[in-house]
Amino acid sequence: MERTLVLIKPDGVQRGLVGEIISRLERRGLRIVAAKFMQVSRDLAERHYAVHKGKPFYPGLIDYITSAPVMAMVWEGPNAIAAVRQTMGATRPTEAAPGTVRHDLGLEVGRNLTHASDGPQTASTEIDLWFKQDELVSWRRDLDRWIFEE
Ligand code: IDP
Ligand code: MG
């Protein structure tokens, strides 16, 4: 079972799309592990996006992610990292496939609604950056055997 960090960015929160995006992940069959509604500090934003430091869009990206609250979450499931990135769609909404969050709900790369970890190493680092161990809830759903082959 894989875990991945998901953020509903300030535009998703401001536009009232938190429920819609969570609903898509739930319906996909992924299981929520942690959630926290929070204002992101500049320090956390800079650590989260450290890999993009120096790129032209970096200052705008830090302003964007700190501009209003976000919904930070951890989701799990088989191949959860790839599954969540697939549900979110390509980084640029106009390149994202129809049916994805970014295609269906967005237009601009700088307002692309969500973040999702892009690999096992980043997922692990990002989950540790955003959540304490005791904020992660290990649990089972009665429905799991109808979603997970196990
Ligand atoms: P990802 O979120 O799909 O993993 P990354 O390439 O890791 O995409 O970029 C991180 C975030 O930076 C994007 O989600 C987007 O919000 C922002 N971003 C990336 N490229 C651009 C750009 O060219 N202009 C403005 N913002 C960008
Ligand atoms: Mg990324």
Side-chain angles (χ1 to χ4, degrees):
M1 207 66 70
E2 218 169 55
R3 288 181 171 182
T4 187
L5 180 85
V6 178
L7 305 177
I8 301 176
K9 294 173 175 176
D11 49 337
V13 171
Q14 290 285 340
R15 291 175 57 196
L17 295 173
V18 169
E20 162 85 26
I21 293 166
I22 288 178
S23 182
R24 286 178 180 222
L25 297 173
E26 280 186 320
R27 275 155 51 208
R28 185 91 198 259
L30 293 155
R31 192 165 61 191
I32 194 162
V33 172
K36 150 158 94 171
F37 183 68
M38 59 187 283
Q39 176 64 47
V40 180
S41 67
R42 274 200 104 72
D43 178 62
L44 177 57
E46 284 172 6
R47 288 211 259 165
H48 177 73
Y49 281 127
V51 66
H52 295 302
K53 194 164 184 170
K55 295 183 185 170
F57 61 83
Y58 176 79
L61 178 57
I62 299 299
D63 286 346
Y64 167 40
I65 202 77
T66 57
S67 61
V70 305
M71 180 65 96
M73 298 173 285
V74 176
W75 287 80
E76 72 184 352
N79 292 311
I81 295 167
V84 171
R85 282 188 68 90
Q86 183 185 42
T87 290
M88 297 316 175
T91 305
R92 296 179 181 279
T94 50
E95 291 168 10
T100 61
V101 166
R102 285 165 168 174
H103 169 280
D104 294 353
L105 306 173
L107 287 169
E108 296 247 58
V109 67
R111 298 288 184 271
N112 64 355
L113 296 158
T114 58
H115 167 84
S117 307
D118 63 6
Q121 192 50 61
T122 42
S124 162
T125 311
E126 290 176 358
I127 291 167
D128 288 349
L129 180 63
W130 288 78
F131 288 93
K132 300 186 195 114
Q133 274 304 317
D134 67 5
E135 293 175 321
L136 306 173
V137 182
S138 294
W139 64 297
R140 286 175 183 283
R141 293 171 298 197
D142 292 345
L143 217 56
D144 278 344
R145 68 192 181 100
W146 303 108
I147 300 167
F148 303 150
E149 277 185 72
E150 245 139 21

